Amino acid sequence: MKILVAVKRVADPNVKVRALADGSGVDLANIKMTMNPFDEIAVEEAVRLKEVGRANEIVVVSIGPEKSAETLRTALAMGADRGLLVRTDAVVEPLAVAKILKAVAEAERPDIIITGKQAIDDDANQTGQMLSALLGWGQGTFASKLVVGDKAIEVTREVDGGLQTVGLPLPALVTADLRLNEPRYASLPNIMKAKKKPIDERTPADYGVAVEPRLTVVRVHEPATRKAGIKVGSVGELVERLRMEAGVLR
Amino acid sequence: MTILVLAEHQDTQLDDATAKAISAAGRIGGEVHVLVAGSGCQAAAEAAAGLAGVARVLLADGPSLSNRLAEPVAALIVSLAGGYDAVLAPSTTSGRNILPRVAALLDVMQISDVVAIDGPDLFQRPIYAGNVIQTVRSTDAKKVLSVRASSFPAASVAAAAVPVEAVAIPENPGRSSFVRSELSRSERPELAGARIVVSGGRALSSAENFETVLAPLADTLGAAIGASRAAVDAGYVSNDLQVGQTGKIIAPDLYIACGISGAIQHLAGMKDSRVIVAINKDPDAPIFQVADYGLVADLFEAVPEFHAAVAEGAKA
Ligand SMILES: Cc1cc2nc3c(=O)[nH]c(=O)nc-3n(C[C@H](O)[C@H](O)[C@H](O)COP(=O)(O)OP(=O)(O)OC[C@H]3O[C@@H](n4cnc5c(N)ncnc54)[C@H](O)[C@@H]3O)c2cc1C
């Protein structure tokens, strides 16, 4: 069984990203970049499936600038077998990403594609669903559990009311949620080994996909920040203020 | 302009998120139609028909739509989309699951999690966990939008209901089947729409403490219970109670954060609350930077005391 995992290079989740003063975009200069946390979970799930003998090959793909090769290296160090960088300096919207991934999937013919449920930069939460639609596959989004059989998978999904489990015939697409697994740190020997694993390079044009954005960013700004209020001295004062001042308690 | 709103509902009952999505659709301008897709969902359709601003209600009631799996619901919306300039859904987990599928099939770039509508093709949406707001103009002829329910008021009840019309259901693409669901049952108000939320973090340190320390306060206040990711990951409470960037995004009148540090990802889910209270024993915890009222204290002492004080007030 072959698994394709899509990974994105994003700003580190612990960094507070700011808008540029002229409102044209966000300031990513000198900001630490890392693999999108949900994609790490996606890679980890694929590696575990390989470790238990369910999968025999893991291909990781990233669409982005040259530096995205570093993100692919991280995935290779975690246990993926080979990488594919679809190189572009353009901002690629989820719809175009899904189109490129569709072309990659048609060439690679994976049984399962795993993506993160959302990228923590644009927070769009679209790529997996769009890719699944374009391929005509079933989708198991926001997965917290994945059970892989020979011809089908069962995906337990985190939904607003609790959990929902769906069955999908293979090939199928899964998007990883936080509780699917806890990703490993790559060991030093594996990081060394990953340096020898192959990373192929292509461009969106090689797949005949136009990456021109459909959305024009008119302005980027920071929302009004909340001001810190006051520290109260006791529970009694807190309750009093919530009743009399804020009017939120009876 | 005609807009199709995908209703969020539980077959017998319409969710508040639908009423909020309808009012968001109204801000785009034009005629608003509501699609209720499910199995045995006539009651939800009738509720939608009674909301102000709704011109038509389309009912797609059939077994293939039970549990609202993405593949058949997306196929249904695509079959109807020809008559619409925009398709909109609340960004609930169901909307987030279905809508991008629709967008891809229509070759449209979806705009996710819209928090403000500045014109028929001009939308504001948060990026980077809400640290930045992006205003985008869509160049697609058709718009596909998910809207953050907590950013819009609910449509009110109309003087007269519009009729409910049945629509044809296309063949199920058959790429998915429902296996089971484990829905959390609770007597407490729904987290998404609660007026007061009492939320607990890692500091609660057990499921039992959520029940014995936090729940009495929540129940006396008639509040919903929420949690940080750390508390959910540790298994203290179920996943549907997670507040944050990747959990539920809420804006209650009063949010009481107990033993929550205030990570960016948590703040993303609650910083639009009207009044925020933080109880934390670390005076430097980042949660205090957004709290209107901060109490530096051990929650295991302060929360029971808080409960006693409001229980006393409730008696008086
Ligand atoms: C991709 C990604 C997505 C995420 N999504 C979310 C999300 O949606 N929601 C979310 O919440 N988090 C999310 N997180 C996690 C987030 O970064 C934090 O790790 C998490 O919110 C921390 O939870 P916490 O505040 O309960 O725990 P901690 O950060 O460990 O804080 C515990 C707090 O309790 C206080 N404390 C300890 N004992 C006591 C006591 N006896 N009395 C009072 N105070 C006490 C401590 O001072 C501390 O401030 C996400 C992270 C990533 C990387």
Side-chain angles (χ1 to χ4, degrees):
Chain A
M1 184 174 287
K2 185 167 173 179
I3 304 181
L4 181 70
V5 182
V7 299
K8 184 178 187 184
R9 184 171 179 267
V10 299
D12 186 286
N14 298 311
V15 176
K16 190 172 165 161
V17 170
R18 317 213 65 129
L20 288 168
D22 66 359
S24 63
V26 294
D27 187 1
L28 291 178
N30 305 318
I31 280 193
K32 185 176 171 227
M33 303 295 279
T34 174
M35 191 190 304
N36 179 41
F38 291 98
D39 302 348
E40 277 179 356
I41 297 170
V43 173
E44 176 67 32
E45 195 65 14
V47 173
R48 289 186 189 188
L49 288 168
K50 190 172 173 193
E51 283 169 347
V52 299
R54 265 280 157 212
N56 49 29
E57 190 182 19
I58 303 167
V59 181
V60 280
V61 50
S62 191
I63 296 153
E66 188 179 5
K67 285 245 166 90
S68 297
E70 291 169 15
T71 311
L72 289 170
R73 275 300 158 212
T74 307
L76 296 175
M78 288 173 73
D81 298 297
R82 59 188 172 86
L84 171 63
L85 170 62
V86 182
R87 198 173 148 183
T88 169
D89 290 327
V91 175
V92 189
E93 292 173 343
L95 180 63
V97 170
K99 288 178 182 178
I100 294 168
L101 292 176
K102 174 185 187 242
V104 171
E106 281 165 353
E108 294 283 350
R109 308 200 144 271
D111 301 282
I112 302 175
I113 301 177
I114 315 180
T115 70
K117 82 159 174 179
Q118 76 192 67
I120 58 153
D121 51 2
D122 62 23
D123 279 335
N125 195 332
Q126 299 176 3
T127 301
Q129 296 90 314
M130 287 182 155
L131 173 57
S132 160
L134 295 177
L135 288 166
W137 296 5
Q139 68 187 44
T141 53
F142 325 146
S144 64
K145 190 172 173 215
L146 171 61
V147 180
V148 177
D150 291 333
K151 294 209 165 72
I153 57 175
E154 266 190 24
V155 184
T156 300
R157 313 177 48 238
E158 293 203 357
V159 296
D160 284 338
L163 298 171
Q164 182 194 58
T165 303
V166 294
L168 309 171
L170 293 176
L173 181 136
V174 176
T175 78
D177 212 325
L178 293 172
R179 281 167 282 275
L180 184 57
N181 60 52
E182 219 175 290
R184 71 195 63 197
Y185 291 103
S187 67
L188 197 56
N190 285 341
I191 293 173
M192 299 312 288
K193 259 196 265 168
K195 293 199 168 131
K196 298 202 191 74
K197 292 183 180 176
I199 296 183
D200 213 359
E201 200 177 299
R202 295 271 191 291
T203 66
D206 292 337
Y207 297 105
V209 175
V211 297
E212 280 66 41
R214 304 286 187 88
L215 305 180
T216 316
V217 178
V218 178
R219 184 168 90 106
V220 164
H221 74 280
E222 287 176 21
T225 46
R226 265 188 110 94
K227 280 194 281 297
I230 56 160
K231 291 250 170 76
V232 293
S234 67
V235 170
E237 184 190 345
L238 174 64
V239 172
E240 184 67 15
R241 284 187 184 268
L242 288 175
R243 282 203 181 114
M244 310 312 271
E245 198 173 80
V248 284
L249 280 191
R250 260 154 290 179
Chain B
M1 184 86 107
T2 319
I3 304 167
L4 184 66
V5 174
L6 175 66
E8 177 78 25
H9 64 91
Q10 313 304 321
D11 293 325
T12 53
Q13 170 188 329
L14 193 70
D15 285 12
D16 207 33
T18 307
K20 294 177 173 174
I22 289 167
S23 85
R27 293 190 187 191
I28 301 175
E31 204 174 289
V32 178
H33 299 180
V34 177
L35 171 64
V36 178
S39 176
C41 54
Q42 178 82 29
E46 275 160 20
L51 290 176
V54 176
R56 285 173 72 186
V57 172
L58 310 182
L59 171 64
D61 196 333
S64 67
L65 298 171
S66 64
N67 303 297
R68 283 169 281 288
L69 299 185
E71 299 78 4
V73 179
L76 167 69
I77 297 173
V78 170
S79 78
L80 298 166
Y84 293 93
D85 303 293
V87 177
L88 186 152
S91 58
T92 55
T93 48
S94 179
R96 289 182 212 164
N97 186 38
I98 296 165
L99 211 58
R101 216 176 156 92
V102 173
L105 295 173
L106 297 174
D107 193 29
V108 170
M109 177 55 207
Q110 173 181 319
I111 306 175
S112 291
D113 230 11
V114 169
V115 294
I117 296 169
D118 298 337
D121 60 358
L122 208 54
F123 308 95
Q124 293 188 29
R125 58 174 306 266
I127 55 175
Y128 291 97
N131 282 317
V132 180
I133 306 288
Q134 195 181 47
T135 303
V136 294
R137 171 171 282 124
S138 165
T139 58
D140 284 312
K142 222 183 266 298
K143 317 282 181 251
V144 176
L145 315 163
S146 71
V147 298
R148 182 176 288 186
S150 63
S151 298
F152 298 92
S156 51
V157 174
V162 297
V164 172
E165 311 158 35
V167 293
I169 300 171
E171 200 188 331
N172 189 343
R175 297 296 309 183
S176 55
S177 57
F178 173 77
V179 178
R180 81 185 86 88
S181 63
E182 297 142 73
L183 299 185
S184 314
R185 259 173 266 275
S186 169
E187 299 297 306
R188 299 193 179 99
E190 270 251 45
L191 180 55
R195 198 180 70 81
I196 304 180
V197 173
V198 178
S199 225
R202 192 196 308 273
L204 266 294
S205 67
S206 72
E208 196 193 355
N209 286 339
F210 261 87
E211 274 314 307
T212 57
V213 180
L214 230 48
L217 174 63
D219 292 342
T220 306
L221 293 172
I225 287 190
S228 71
R229 171 192 173 182
V232 177
D233 281 3
Y236 307 158
V237 290
S238 57
N239 64 282
D240 49 298
L241 298 190
Q242 180 175 314
V243 173
Q245 179 186 18
T246 56
K248 288 195 174 122
I249 293 168
I250 55 173
D253 276 355
L254 175 60
Y255 187 85
I256 305 172
C258 308
I260 293 178
S261 61
I264 295 174
Q265 294 86 3
H266 188 78
L267 301 184
M270 43 64 80
K271 68 176 155 51
D272 293 331
S273 305
R274 188 158 79 77
V275 175
I276 297 175
V277 169
I279 301 176
N280 196 303
K281 68 178 182 190
D282 172 8
D284 298 321
I287 189 80
F288 287 124
Q289 290 164 20
V290 299
D292 299 285
Y293 300 103
L295 178 64
V296 180
D298 185 328
L299 76 91
F300 293 103
E301 286 162 23
V303 174
E305 205 184 316
F306 195 167
H307 171 237
V310 288
E312 194 56 39
K315 259 188 269 158

